[in-house]
Each structure stands twice: as structure tokens, then as C-alpha cells.
Amino acid sequence: MEDTKHLMERFVQFINIAREDLADELIARHAMFHVPGRHEPLSGPAGYLEIIAMMRSCFPDIQCTLEETISEAGDVAIRFTMRGTHHGTFFGVPPPGKKIAVQAMNFYRWSNGQFVEERGQSDLLGLLQQIGTVPM
């Protein structure tokens, strides 16, 4: 469990700073990332950097905090909170400059110390409510 916890802490650090060298260290070249709203998964370190770039284009100060980790063999489930400020168009919604705090749950597979798959789901309804698109 300590190895898994350390790996997840490093991965959240990577998400928060988006360093290419960490992407290469933590993500397998053949890794698949299933992103809500996309028909085809993104792949490899470049694919995950693309996910981060998309989020940072809307929420440039976004930071994630790891809240919970559950691990079994090479599978990991995490719950984390994303916090940031809406400063870029998000799904067609212009930026009101509002702060957000959104829960997300992701499931990962890893092998040989690298991630090989991710399936994630954030609280999109809660996010849309916080930026004023959907009534609370």
C-alpha cells in the first residue's frame, strides 16, 4: 500500500505541475486515458499532458488534492478535489472568474511503476452549478 500511496502522491504532483519529465516517469507510452465527452481515449504521456492543458486553459490555477486512495493489486481508486478559478471558456461557458472546488473519482491500472489506464469522472453537475451555468 505504501508503494501505491507514494505513486498516487507523485501522480497528483504531476497533475499539479504538469512536468513532462514526470509524465515520462509515471505514464507508460501505451497508456490509455478514457476522458468523459471524448469518443476515443488519449494515450501515453502526451495524451495526459493534453488533458491537463485542456483543464488549465479553463482553470489556469487548478490544483488537485488527494483525499482517498483504495488499492488492490495493480488497480487503484482515488477520490480527489480539484480547486481553481474559471478564467477560460469551459464547454462553451464564458469565464465568470468564479472559484470552484469539485470532487472527482478516478480508477487507474498500473504496471511496473507506471500508469497504463485511467477512467475518471468528475462532478460535472457540481462544477456547472459553481460557475453559474446550472441552477443549484
Side-chain angles (χ1 to χ4, degrees):
M1 181 64 181
E2 280 304 309
D3 287 343
T4 301
K5 184 176 179 180
H6 177 72
L7 181 66
M8 293 314 305
E9 288 169 350
R10 293 277 294 157
F11 193 67
V12 170
Q13 177 189 22
F14 156 66
I15 292 170
N16 287 337
I17 61 177
R19 277 193 6 220
E20 215 170 305
D21 62 322
L22 281 177
D24 292 336
E25 173 189 329
L26 297 168
I27 299 170
R29 284 183 284 150
H30 64 279
M32 302 301 283
F33 302 103
H34 306 275
V35 181
R38 291 188 88 121
H39 297 300
E40 296 296 322
L42 296 171
S43 64
Y48 212 91
L49 286 166
E50 184 179 332
I51 294 169
I52 294 171
M54 186 277 297
M55 288 302 294
R56 287 190 184 277
S57 71
C58 305
F59 306 93
D61 60 345
I62 198 158
Q63 292 289 289
C64 295
T65 304
L66 187 60
E67 306 288 353
E68 186 174 8
T69 303
I70 300 171
S71 175
E72 182 176 294
D75 296 332
V76 181
I78 68 166
R79 181 176 59 84
F80 62 96
T81 303
M82 299 180 290
R83 292 178 178 82
T85 312
H86 185 197
H87 284 300
T89 301
F90 181 72
F91 287 114
V93 179
K98 292 185 177 181
K99 298 244 181 235
I100 57 116
V102 177
Q103 293 278 312
M105 293 182 54
N106 288 11
F107 299 91
Y108 297 93
R109 291 193 194 289
W110 62 290
S111 177
N112 298 319
Q114 289 189 306
F115 290 96
V116 296
E117 184 177 18
E118 176 196 69
R119 292 183 185 272
Q121 189 64 53
S122 61
D123 178 11
L124 187 56
L125 176 59
L127 174 58
L128 293 173
Q129 288 174 328
Q130 289 176 52
I131 63 174
T133 303
V134 174
M136 289 201 176

